[in-house]
Amino acid sequence: MRLHRLTLTAFGPFGTTQEVDFDALSSAGLFLLHGPTGAGKTSILDAVCYALYAAVPGARQSPGAPLRSDHAPAGLPTEVRLELTVGGRRLEVTRRPAQPRPKKRGGGVTTEKAQSWLREYRPEDGWQGLSRSHQEIGEEISQLIGMSREQFCQVVLLPQGDFARFLRADAEARGKLLGRLFDTRRFAAVEERLAELRRAAEARVRTADEQILALAQRIAQAAGPAAAEAELPEDRPGEPGLAEGVLEWAAVARSGARERLGIARSVLAEAERRNDDARGALDAARELARLQQRYAETRRRAAGLEERRAEYDRCREQLARARKADLVAPALELRDEADRAHRAAGEARGRARASLPPELADAGAEQLAERERELRAELGALDAAHRAERRSREIDTERARVDRQSGADDELIRETADWLAGWDTVHQELRSRVERAQEAATRAEQLAGLLAPARRRLEAARRRDALTEQKAQAEVALTTARERAVAAHETWLGLRERRLKGIAAELAVQLVDGVACTVCGSADHPEPARAGDGHVDRATEEAALAAHRRAEEARAEAERHLGLIGERLDAALAAVAEAPGDTDDTDDTTGRTGTVPVTALDDLVARLTREHTDAHRLAAGTHAAQETLAAAEREHLERLGARQRAESRAAARTSEREALDREQSALEAELAEARGASDSVAARAALLERRAGLLADAAETVRAERRADRQRKEADGRLADAAFRAGFDTPQAAAAKLLDDTAQRELQHRIDAWQAEAAAVADRLAETDAREAAERPPAAPDTAQAAYHRSARELREGATALAAAQERCTELDRLSRRAEDEVRALGPLRQEYTRVARLAGLTAGTSADNERKMRLEAYVLAARLEQVAAAATARLRRMSSGRYTLVHSDARSGGGRRAGLGLHVVDSWTGRERDTATLSGGETFFASLALALGLADVVTDEAGGVRLDTLFIDEGFGSLDDQTLDEVLDVLDSLRERDRSVGIVSHVADLRRRIPAQLEVVKERDGSAVRHRATGTLSG
């Protein structure tokens, strides 16, 4: 993989677009990336990683950390574009992170989604787009490079600090880093899978044993007393001998249960025989007692019948007389009905005669009917008078209508005259109102054009005043932050100087008798240095350094905040200085400088708002005024026409009134004769109709009374004849013997009951077996019942005991078969558990077969570490002039820790092998550099042999002397033999003389910038 060109826009500290030409830098094979602290050297490496993996290196990927530059203008999007060759293909990757941008409509900002582009250069077609999908681009890049982001950051962006810690780390820390680089998760997954299989197999075996023990408990419950003949095995679940012991114990329990079953069968047979004998004796005693009781009861019932015989005879006679009286009942009912009808007719005749005149009170039906006919004839003669009366009422209605119409027309004429008298004045006023509304509409448009700019200037003035105050506060905060940063820097430098003075005492604390000193190499420590008063340890120095860095970050944040407030204040001043328009209320010179006071602008906006509101309110009535004027003109024309029509109707109405008066006079003479003494013809007709109705009702009541009298006399004759034929002397005697249906049914029921009882008693007295049983001694069923109960209880107990014994044997057989099945099924499970447990212990390093106690993943990582140590040694020998060699150690460390990931250095000067933690600062740097380069080679081979043509080394050269620095640079320069280019990120000034090709990052107020320098020539 070779990098060609990197373009950064608004990324990190770079506020504008910057371009890095890796082709020009790589032509020399070795190039230097330098610049002041915080300028953005590492941000260039972050941009390379972000372009490839859409994320910055993990160590710098803090949550919520923005990628967008604070120096970038609002309209410039953050973007990273990288052109590279990988896998024989020349690609261009462009990425934009999610970032805020100004809204296209209205104010405020909106968040724009992250975007990605991938293009490929083909000689025949040029640049061709491949994808815009984040997922597709990520998969394509990862497949071509063959490394994850973590591997890329370790192999291509060599972090020297990480490898220095790797040299001094323990086996566990080395395992974590190597596991990430070589992706040994599959081996850890194998360990975990085997452990899971072992736990699962163990759980299955334990579950099977628990089931066998549960069956043993159920067998003990089913066997009852037979289970006490042998003791249940006391083995715990999981122990090998548990299953066989349970089977032996179950066999003994089954044998005892079968013996008890035979005994229970013998006891039950004897109980059945005794129960049959007792049952026969009980049945015989009960039958004898039943016959004796039946004969005694029959004798009691016969005596009772004789006592009720007199009542039986009386009921028979009463029922016979009632049935004879039933023959007279229809005549009695007919006579009662005729009598009621005669009384009702007499009462109706009396009521009708009370409403007649005195001269007709005793008149007959014929006289009353004749008088009714006379009144009906007189009533028919009033029809013509009815028609004349209706016409008279109609004439009155028409005359009232004519009078109303005449009054309405007169009122209309007067009202129209009054309205037309003020028409000219009203018409002129309405026209003036329309003209004023139209002028107000024009004024409202002018004021609206002045109001919006005035409001913007007012808001800008308010922001200006607020930002002025914020700026003053930010300046104070910046001054404070600078003072704190300076104080923190001085504190850190002072603590560092004090620590360096007492570093010997700090090293002496680590000395152990018999262990070589890391400084002089001696195993004897006769006079180790001691810490003096006020000694500063490493933790104190690092805390002061961290405080210094936080103070620097706070100072930079305060500077950025002050700059942002200044930009906002300039924008507010510019907005206040806008041309005030045609308001004539502010001084132009003052407005252009942006110092117009808020109160003046506030007063101006308030006045313009009031004037605009008044004008708009008046202009809103334009349409209403025009409508009102048009309506008034239409009303003027309508009133003139209405007055002319009213005058024409008044002339025609006089002749109509005279004709109605003549017709009314003729009708009044006719009606006076027809009414007579009544108020109206209708009243006269109603009087005649009422009198005729009374006469008709009275005549009908007289005739009805006569008919009822004849019917009563006929009913009396029929009743006397019916009583005589039924055998009664008088109708009253027959009525006295009448009974209703319920009483007759009651008498018949009592007679039938006596007769049925007599027949039943006669039948039972004829039974010979009951009579014979009565002659025998009294029966004793209670004694037989008690004997039977005793035998039945013994039989039930025997049956229960037999059933329990049978059920116990059946359940024992079933449970024993289940136990045998469980034991047979347990065999394969136990074999599988033994095999899996042995494999799991071997891979986990806990088995006795694993002598070095190495886990599977550690074993694989140890092989990789051995390859890395071999690859690193080739370069470490050159850097150390052949003195040092890195070797892998699989020896177990102290404290019972497992082996496999030890790393030692062999010193050829002393011929001794020692831990890498004993190297000095400079030795640690070039050893970690050699380790990083060796690790890059191994990871590259592991990733499928992907060619890495561009590497970066970040810091660490300041700890080398001149000779060692030359040797290290020679080794790095030798990488060009494999057509590699190496970029060194460093502050060391001596490297600027030694490395011609340079990329300088310059920190400026408006954002950092990059400059290329090649062979001493500076290029922007």
Side-chain angles (χ1 to χ4, degrees), residues 236-405:
R236 290 175 294 180
E239 295 183 0
L242 174 64
E244 290 75 9
V246 169
L247 292 180
E248 294 176 359
W249 173 83
V252 174
R254 289 197 304 274
S255 176
R258 290 192 182 96
E259 292 178 0
R260 284 173 172 76
L261 176 61
I263 296 173
R265 285 173 178 166
S266 301
V267 172
L268 179 62
E270 179 63 22
E272 289 176 347
R273 185 187 62 76
R274 288 196 299 270
N275 182 256
D276 292 340
D277 296 342
R279 180 68 181 177
L282 176 62
D283 292 342
R286 285 177 176 175
E287 180 63 18
L288 178 60
R290 185 185 68 79
L291 292 174
Q292 292 175 348
Q293 184 179 1
R294 181 179 177 84
Y295 187 77
E297 183 183 355
T298 302
R299 299 295 298 174
R300 286 193 301 272
R301 290 171 64 182
L305 283 174
E306 290 300 326
E307 292 176 358
R308 299 196 302 273
R309 181 176 293 277
E311 181 184 359
Y312 165 70
D313 293 340
R314 181 179 56 80
C315 289
R316 288 183 62 190
E317 182 181 358
Q318 185 179 1
L319 180 61
R321 298 290 293 173
R323 287 176 175 172
K324 289 181 179 181
D326 287 343
L327 300 176
V328 187
L332 285 171
E333 293 179 358
L334 181 62
R335 199 290 181 179
D336 292 340
E337 183 178 354
D339 188 55
R340 288 193 299 272
H342 182 266
R343 287 196 302 272
E347 293 174 359
R349 177 180 174 278
R351 289 193 300 271
R353 287 184 177 276
S355 60
L356 294 177
E359 63 271 14
L360 298 177
D362 296 326
E366 292 76 8
Q367 186 180 0
L368 292 173
E370 180 64 24
R371 181 58 181 160
E372 178 192 1
R373 287 192 293 272
E374 293 174 358
L375 291 177
R376 295 290 181 188
E378 184 179 356
L379 182 63
L382 291 178
D383 290 342
H386 276 299
R387 290 190 296 272
E389 189 176 37
R390 285 196 300 271
R391 178 55 187 164
S392 178
R393 288 196 298 270
E394 291 175 357
I395 291 174
D396 293 338
T397 301
E398 292 179 2
R399 182 181 293 156
R401 176 182 58 78
V402 170
D403 292 341
R404 287 196 304 273
Q405 292 177 351

Side-chain angles (χ1 to χ4, degrees), residues 130 227 313 386 447 497 521 642 694 712 726 834 870 917:
L130 296 182
D313 293 340
H386 276 299
L447 291 172
E497 183 178 359
L694 292 175
R712 184 178 62 174
T834 302

